[in-house]
Each structure stands twice: as structure tokens, then as C-alpha cells.
Amino acid sequence: MTIAFRPGTVIDGTGAPPREGCTVLVDGSRITACGAREDVEVPNAAEIVDAPDATLIPGLIDLHVHLAFSGDLERDTFRTEVAGLNYAQMALRAAGYALRTLRAGFTTLRDVHAPGGVIIDLARAIRARHVPGPTIHACGTGLSVTGGHMDQPGWADHVRLEGVTSPCDGPLEFRRGVRRQVKRGADLIKINACVSSLLHPEVPYRQEMTDDELEAACDEAHLLERHVAAHTSGGPGLTAAVRAGVDTVEHGHWIDRETADLMAESGTILVPTLLVNERNFEFSREELGGSDASWRWREQSRDAKWESLEIARRAGVRIGCGTDAGYMIPHGEMNAREVELLVQGGLSPVEAIHSATGIGAERLGIEAGVIAPGRLADLVLVAGDPVADIRVLQELHRLRVFKEGVEVAQRDGEAA
């Protein structure tokens, strides 16, 4: 099927200024032309989508989600979901979350930790067209030191959970951990380089993995042609992770100028996950719970994230879009708020869309994310102008979403 889009404006995902008066021609799953209307020949049999008041953008990309989890605010939900759901149930629920996110305009997701390989299997099922959904790149289980950020204590001594965490200790174990995840089918590797610290307010971060462990994990992942995403907070641990070769810094609450320069030089992408920090302050302390020290950390990290984003931008660090959906954030309905927050943090609307399209696509090595001939036709037609008001991307009724040239139904049996 051939479709000719004639929107009022095209934002192509490269960071280039918006263009008016364009035709974007799609044949099957691919874009075959994008240019001035007088220069693009439209076949007689093509479906014409005239949308003079709309903007055509690439399908959005969220580089940091957790599809295995619900985003419930209750602190114990993670444990109850892990203990109460079979992995098959978890995968089936995740399929619903993924489809919900696709309908919100996100045609590609990067899942950065789930137990039991459930999201690896969901990604395979979507690729095989057994179930509808966005393109998913999944890491499997994040690698963490024993008792670390993704191997947290607190379970009773008699409890044994299979495949929930992947603890590693020492360089050799991290190499084995990388190999195990790749064997399971991981598209990338997630590590936990440094974490928050509540002990000393003046030093609100601490390194979790040793320098040798960081280097081993990155080296092994790159040997196996996988990129590395690192959970970080700040300080020497963050700098060590960048020096070791991580490809994306997740969160990065505290980034100093030296580290930002190093990130820019090495091409390390920052995925600041601004939304998850802001969510802490959309509820009362009674609703979320937590100690005085944990609330002090939340307030410190909130301020620091905006400063770190500015430091990174000024250094020339590329910024990716990631929400942390699944942790305090429901899937689908809120993902586009991260794009708004990137604008609030100093990016222009076109730059923020570039972060959520072209930059993510480049990192994942996919043929979507940019409107250009030969690219996959993952597209979102927005009724409105996101340059004038980036929040229009959050209004799902304004979106027509196309995955590989096929329009995604907004509800079962009903086209957008």
C-alpha cells in the first residue's frame, strides 16, 4: 500500500528546522520520498493523507522503560508483582503496556531490566508478529553487585526467586553475566555503576561497581556487539563508568564539567529521566513514604538533575529521551511528558524531538527515527504544532500513529 502524507509541517528527526509544503511518500513499510510537493510524484493508486494543520514527525523512542512493572506508587508493589505473577503473566501484561505505549506515539522502546527474560521474549513475539506492539530492545536482567541496586536485600531467608536478579562480583563474574544475558537474547547490557547515598548529604552518591568490574562489563559487552546502559547517580563512579566505555548514562543526577566533557568526547549519551524525579513531587510524603534522609535526597537530586542537564548540554553531550516508565510512571499516557521536560530543561522543541527520535534511533542502530527515503515508516501525525506547544504530543486523541506504514488502532477495532 502506498500512502502520500501532505502535512502542514514535517519535523524529520535529524534536528533540522521544520519544513513546510512537503510530501512524504510511503510504500509498504518504507519511506520512499520526502520533499517539496512539486518534486514528489504521487502514484495514482496512493492513499492521500491531507493534513494542512498537522505536523508529521518520526515515531518517538523511549530509551528507558520497565515493561515488566506497573508503575504503581506503592513501595512494596515491586516485590508483590515479582512474587505474585508467573513470568508468562508478566509478559502478557507487558504486551498490553507496550501496545498502550505504541498508541501514545512511541514506536520503539528500550527496556532496561526485567526478570526472567520476559521482555526479551515479548520483543521476539512482536518481531514475529504474534502480538502487536512497538519495536523493543531489551537488556534482560540488569547486572548488579550482590546486594546492589538491582539485587536489593529484604527478602526472607527462605525465599528463593528464579531469574529476578543477576548479581555479579568481580570482573570475571561481570563478564559471565554479560555472556549469560547475551545468550538469553539481550539486545544490550544494563549495569549499575553508582547509586544514591543517604549517609552524607554533601556526598549523595557512591560507587557500586569497582573500576575493574566496570571495564570488564563494558569490554565484554562491546566484544559481543552490545551497547551498555549504566544506572548512575554521580561522582567518581559516574566518571569511572564513562571512562570504562558505557554508551548511555541513565539518570546522571550529578554530572560535573570534567565528566560532561569526557562524555561529549567519547560520544556517551545522557538519558536524564527527568520525569521520574518530578513524579516524586506530585504526591504527598504520606502517599510515598520514606525517611527524612530519603526525602532530602529526592530534593537534592531534583535540583541537581536540571543543573546536570545544563552542564551536559553546554559540553555538547547528546541527550536521549527516557522516562523510567514502570517505576512510579504508568505506561503510555505519560511518556511524552519527558519531551516536555526536556524543553523545560533548555532544549528547543525541535531538539527535544530529535532526542526522542533520531538520537535514540542512532543509539539503537535502527532504521526508524528519521523521516528520509529508505527509513522505516514509523511515523506520528500530530494534529497541531509541537514547536508552538510541545504538550500537544501528550494529547493522544491528536495522534495518528503508523508502525512500518500501517496505522495503529487507538482502541481495539477502531482506527485512529
Side-chain angles (χ1 to χ4, degrees), residues 11 336-344 348-350 352-353 382 385-395:
I11 299 175
R337 282 187 59 189
E338 185 72 19
V339 188
E340 177 191 357
L341 291 171
L342 288 172
V343 173
Q344 185 178 324
S348 71
V350 170
I353 290 170
V382 185
D385 181 5
V387 173
D389 185 359
I390 198 67
R391 293 173 297 180
V392 72
L393 297 178
Q394 299 170 42
E395 300 181 34

Side-chain angles (χ1 to χ4, degrees), residues 1-2 8 24 33 38 59 100 112 124-125 159 190 200 203 225 230 245 255 258-259 275 283 363 365 368 375:
M1 180 178 180
T2 302
V24 175
E38 61 270 20
R100 187 184 303 173
V112 286
R124 288 170 169 168
V159 173
K190 168 76 174 294
H200 302 292
V203 186
E225 301 179 327
I255 299 176
E258 176 188 358
T259 305
L275 177 56
F283 304 94
R363 177 56 275 161
R375 293 278 191 154

Side-chain angles (χ1 to χ4, degrees), residues 92-174:
L92 288 166
R93 187 179 69 167
Y97 292 154
L99 182 56
R100 187 184 303 173
T101 310
L102 174 61
R103 289 169 173 164
F106 285 80
T107 55
T108 302
L109 305 175
R110 186 180 67 158
D111 192 281
V112 286
H113 174 73
V118 295
I119 307 304
I120 291 174
D121 291 338
L122 173 60
R124 288 170 169 168
I126 291 171
R127 286 196 294 268
R129 304 189 186 280
H130 297 318
V131 294
T135 299
I136 298 175
H137 285 224
C139 76
T141 307
L143 306 183
S144 193
V145 300
T146 296
H149 177 68
M150 284 191 158
D151 185 47
Q152 294 183 8
W155 301 95
D157 290 344
H158 62 275
V159 173
R160 297 291 181 270
L161 298 170
E162 184 69 30
V164 174
T165 65
S166 294
C168 304
D169 296 295
L172 288 178
E173 283 200 16
F174 271 96

Side-chain angles (χ1 to χ4, degrees), residues 4 20 56 80 111 129 157 166 169 181 239 272 301 313 329:
E20 298 180 355
L56 188 69
T80 57
D111 192 281
R129 304 189 186 280
D157 290 344
S166 294
D169 296 295
Q181 295 307 314
T239 307
S301 65
R313 286 183 59 247
I329 299 167

Side-chain angles (χ1 to χ4, degrees), residues 237-294:
L238 192 159
T239 307
V242 176
R243 291 192 186 281
V246 300
D247 299 286
T248 65
V249 164
E250 311 299 308
H251 315 303
H253 306 86
W254 287 271
I255 299 176
D256 59 30
R257 287 175 173 80
E258 176 188 358
T259 305
D261 289 340
L262 183 63
M263 291 172 66
E265 180 182 346
S266 60
T268 310
I269 293 172
L270 171 64
V271 184
T273 62
L274 300 164
L275 177 56
V276 73
N277 263 63
E278 292 303 300
R279 285 287 281 170
N280 283 303
F281 302 95
E282 296 177 1
F283 304 94
S284 68
R285 182 166 173 177
E286 289 71 27
E287 287 176 292
L288 295 182
S291 64
D292 290 343
S294 67

